[in-house]
Structures are given as C-alpha cells and as structure tokens.
Amino acid sequence: MLLRLVSLGVLGTLIAFGALVAPAGAVTLPPVPPVEKRILNLEEALARTLRTSPDLAVAAGELSAAAADALHAGRLRNPELTVSLENVGGEGAYRGTDAAELTIELSQPIELGGKRRLRRETAELGRLLATHGQSLVRSEVLAATSQRFVAVLAAQEGLALATEQAALADKSLAAAEERIKAGKAPAIDRLRLQGEAGLARLALAQAERTLVTARQLLAAGWGEARPDFDHAAGDLDSLPAAPEPDEVGALLENSPVAVSRRLAVELLGKELEQARAGRIPDPSLTVGWRQFEESNEDAWLLGLSLPLPLFNQGQYEVAAASSRLQVAKAREFSARNQARTTLRAAWQALVDARAEAEVLASHIVPAAAEGFAAAGFGYQAGKFGLLELLDAQRTLFDARQQLLAARKNCHLAAIELQRLQGTEALGVTQQLHSP
C-alpha cells in the first residue's frame, strides 16, 4: 500500500509541475482519479472457498455416489429369464419344428443369512462415512484458507517492515554522507552503510516475493490461478486466547476425523459379517412353462437349485476380513493416541507463541526502539560510533520481525487447534478482523 501511495504522489507532483511550466494556451490535463484498491477480508475469502473449492466439489461428488449406493443396496437381486427351444432342426421325427418343445423359465435367487440386510447396512455406513468425510474436508479447507489468509497478513506487514527498514538504511546513509563531508566520520562508514542499504533492499525484494506467493496460495484455495485482490484486510495484533488445558480434548472424540475412524472400523465389521453370511449358499427358485408342439399340450415347471460349496467354503474370506478388522482397530487406537498428542502439542504451540508475542510487544520491542533512538541521537552528536548505531538498528528490526513471526504463529496455532478439535476455524479468526 505504501508503494502504491508513493507512486500516486509522484505522479501527482509531476502533473502539478507540468501545469506550472506549461505555456499559455496549453491544454490542462484532467486530474488523475485515485486507483481503488480491491480489498479482501476473511469472510469473503471463506465464502469463496465454500463456493468454488475443488476439494469440496470432490467431497460432494463422493457423498452423492455413496448416497446412490445406499439407495440400491437393499433392493432384491434381479430374477433371471430363460427361453429355450428344444428338439428342432433334427432328422426324422425331429425334422423342422413338429416335435419342438418351447420352455420359458423365471428364476429368482433367495438370499439367506441376512445378506440383503448386511448389504443395506454396509452401504448406509458408507454414506455416513462420506458425510463425515465431507465435513472433514470442509473444516480442512476452511482452516487452510484461514491459515493462508494469516500468511498474507503477515507478508503484508513483513513488506511494510522491510520497506521501513530500507528507507531507514537510505536515511542513515544520507546522514553519514553529511558527517563524512563535514569531517566528523571516517569514509569507511559510507561503505558499511552502503552494505546495510544493499542488504535492506534485498530483504525488501524478498518480502515482495513472499507476499506474491502468499496471495497466490490464498487464491488457489478457491480455484483461481491469479489473485483478484490487492490487499487483505485484517489485524494480527489481537491475539486469540488459549483454552484451558482440561478443555482442549473435550471435542476431540466428536470431531469428523474421530467419527470417520470409528465408522471405518464399523464398516469393516460389517464386511466381516458379510463374509460369514457368504458361507451360506443361496438357493434359486424356478418357475417355468413348457409347450409340446407334437401333442399341442403344455405343462408347468418348478425347480430349486442350490450351489454346492465343495471347493470354497468361504473360510479364507472370513479370515481375511477378520484380519482387516483387527488391523483397523489397532490403527484406530494408535490414531486416537496420536491425535491427543498432536492436539496437546498444538495447544502448547499456541500458549508459547502468545506468551512470546506478549513479552516482545510489552518489553523487548519498546526497549529496542528506545535503544535505537538513543543510538541515533548519540551518533549525530558524535558520542557513538557507527557500529553502535548499526547494532541498535539490527536489534530493533530483529525484535519487530520476531514479534511479527510470534503473532503469525499464534494465529496459525489457534487455527490448527480448532482444526484438530473438528470445529471450523471461524471463531478464532474473529481476531483477524480489521479494527
């Protein structure tokens, strides 16, 4: 924003200077209208993510597929129609169709062992799993967008800090030039300050690239290759509060991740039941009608067919399904313990970042600012050398950069904590709103 304002100010100065030196009768240029900046706030970023996120589109498609599976899973198996014509095209009495026999049969499989019920329950579990998966993806993309928004805010403040540092380095170099010309400082001070100014310009270029990358990552969250905003509106100064330690794990067991893990185990349990039910043969009932062309008579047919489990009794399918279920239970137990550890680490990161930011803001940065002001005054008065001035300057900007990093980490840790708890990263990001 500062660079844009400077550019507009230079342009206005040039136009005003042209008006003063223009000859009589020259055409006066119309005033240049101010360029309106496109500002993005957190609510709009989250709304864009919910509307056009590719990840949410994938989750919605998977939920639709699972819902369709649940609808047809409980239906009966389709019957089989068989039409046959026998004793035709032979020799003698079977020449032509005089002795033909037309048979029409309808066969219906009868599922035993609760296979239809288990298939319906398995599909319903798959639908519930897809539903919680969609909730999980929603919380993930909202948390990612919030974290990327924080990164953009931090990159903007980092750019402003780098711009200020570069301007201060140029100002220090100009002040040193005056002291060198007056014979109050050695010429080597010019080389030192030129090096500091060069480093400050490098840091400024790096800060600009960091902001460009952060803005592109934020726009990618809603599927855009290029960001269509100029500035993100928000405030990192207001730090999110850390919850009490006993409250951290209260919502963990009901988070979408935990529910999805339990549903996955339950789904494998249903697959084990299906494998056991699959060992029960399913008979097929047949009803048919046969016409005898030779005597012009007809008759009904009734039949029953039953598969014989001679070579495969399904015991290996049951063993495999049982092993998969045991593995899933062990993984769910391990993942639950790991989730508690990760949640505790995220809470500790939030507490540490907030404490660091508070100490930096209340003590270290103000003390560094006072020290730099005293060093600058003493250098101008000839009481301090250049090394003391540069050291005080580095201390101040290092402290301010550390404060910016601590505030950024505090917001990121709070968003991560809510993501692990399964809540959408909306409440904590209320602190990011512009004051």
Side-chain angles (χ1 to χ4, degrees):
M1 179 178 179
L2 180 60
L3 295 178
R4 183 179 294 273
L5 293 176
V6 170
S7 300
L8 292 177
V10 172
L11 181 59
T13 303
L14 292 177
I15 293 175
F17 179 75
L20 291 175
V21 301
V27 178
T28 303
L29 294 176
V32 177
V35 178
E36 184 177 357
K37 297 182 63 173
R38 294 166 297 180
I39 298 178
L40 178 73
N41 55 31
L42 179 61
E43 290 84 354
E44 184 179 355
L46 295 177
R48 287 187 179 188
T49 301
L50 292 177
R51 285 197 304 267
T52 60
S53 171
D55 294 334
L56 286 176
V58 171
E62 292 177 349
L63 178 58
S64 298
D69 289 338
L71 287 176
H72 76 78
R75 296 183 180 272
L76 293 172
R77 294 173 59 181
N78 289 327
E80 182 178 354
L81 176 65
T82 304
V83 179
S84 61
L85 185 63
E86 303 177 23
N87 301 332
V88 294
E91 299 178 352
Y94 297 102
R95 185 182 300 275
T97 59
D98 293 340
E101 297 180 4
L102 175 64
T103 303
I104 301 176
E105 295 178 323
L106 186 65
S107 179
Q108 175 64 52
I110 305 299
E111 294 182 291
L112 302 179
K115 295 184 182 68
R116 180 187 173 194
R117 173 184 58 82
L118 290 173
R119 190 169 60 249
R120 182 173 58 247
E121 292 175 353
T122 301
E124 181 62 23
L125 281 176
R127 187 190 65 80
L128 290 176
L129 188 60
T131 300
H132 285 85
Q134 186 183 43
S135 301
L136 176 60
V137 172
R138 176 187 171 93
S139 63
E140 292 282 349
V141 298
L142 288 179
T145 297
S146 299
Q147 290 175 334
R148 291 174 179 178
F149 190 85
V150 169
V152 171
L153 293 179
Q156 289 177 169
E157 293 192 18
L159 178 58
L161 184 59
T163 302
E164 182 181 349
Q165 187 174 7
L168 183 58
D170 292 338
K171 182 179 178 181
S172 298
L173 178 59
E177 290 286 357
E178 294 181 359
R179 287 178 53 81
I180 293 172
K181 291 179 181 180
K184 297 180 179 181
I188 195 174
D189 286 0
R190 178 189 300 110
L191 298 178
R192 292 172 177 172
L193 288 173
Q194 285 176 347
E196 291 293 327
L199 292 175
R201 286 190 291 270
L202 286 177
L204 177 59
Q206 179 62 41
E208 292 173 347
R209 291 192 295 269
T210 300
L211 178 57
V212 170
T213 302
R215 294 172 67 247
Q216 290 175 343
L217 286 176
L218 178 58
W222 52 78
E224 290 186 2
R226 296 181 178 180
D228 59 352
F229 61 93
D230 299 315
H231 183 79
D235 182 22
L236 294 177
D237 294 347
S238 299
L239 301 178
E244 295 296 328
D246 297 337
E247 301 175 359
V248 174
L251 301 176
L252 184 60
E253 292 302 320
N254 294 326
S255 66
V257 177
V259 175
S260 296
R261 288 197 306 263
R262 293 196 296 269
L263 286 176
V265 173
E266 190 174 352
L267 183 61
L268 289 176
K270 289 297 178 182
E271 291 181 358
L272 176 59
E273 293 184 37
Q274 284 182 310
R276 289 170 176 169
R279 303 188 66 184
I280 303 175
D282 294 332
S284 295
L285 298 178
T286 303
V287 177
W289 176 81
R290 178 173 293 174
Q291 182 187 21
F292 301 91
E293 184 68 22
E294 185 176 7
S295 61
N296 198 23
E297 295 176 342
D298 57 61
W300 289 96
L301 300 176
L302 298 176
L304 174 66
S305 63
L306 185 68
L308 299 177
L310 298 179
F311 306 109
N312 182 14
Q313 290 82 32
Q315 67 271 27
Y316 301 110
E317 288 83 351
V318 172
S322 178
S323 297
R324 284 192 291 268
L325 177 59
Q326 296 304 318
V327 170
K329 288 181 178 179
R331 287 179 176 174
E332 195 276 334
F333 180 77
S334 176
R336 187 166 64 249
N337 291 335
Q338 182 63 36
R340 294 194 187 100
T341 303
T342 305
L343 187 68
R344 181 72 183 186
W347 177 83
Q348 191 64 50
L350 171 59
V351 172
D352 293 344
R354 181 181 174 87
E356 180 183 3
E358 289 176 346
V359 171
L360 285 166
S362 59
H363 298 90
I364 298 178
V365 172
E370 292 180 4
F372 176 68
F377 180 79
Y379 178 74
Q380 291 292 337
K383 296 182 180 180
F384 295 144
L386 179 62
L387 293 180
E388 288 79 3
L389 176 65
L390 293 179
D391 184 66
Q393 178 178 330
R394 294 193 194 99
T395 300
L396 173 60
F397 280 98
D398 287 346
R400 293 178 63 183
Q401 289 173 351
Q402 189 175 353
L403 174 59
L404 175 59
R407 287 171 173 171
K408 174 186 175 182
N409 293 335
C410 184
H411 285 280
L412 292 179
I415 296 171
E416 178 67 10
L417 183 63
Q418 285 200 342
R419 185 191 70 82
L420 294 173
Q421 289 177 318
T423 56
E424 295 181 356
L426 296 177
V428 68
T429 51
Q430 297 293 328
Q431 305 291 336
L432 298 176
H433 297 172
S434 297

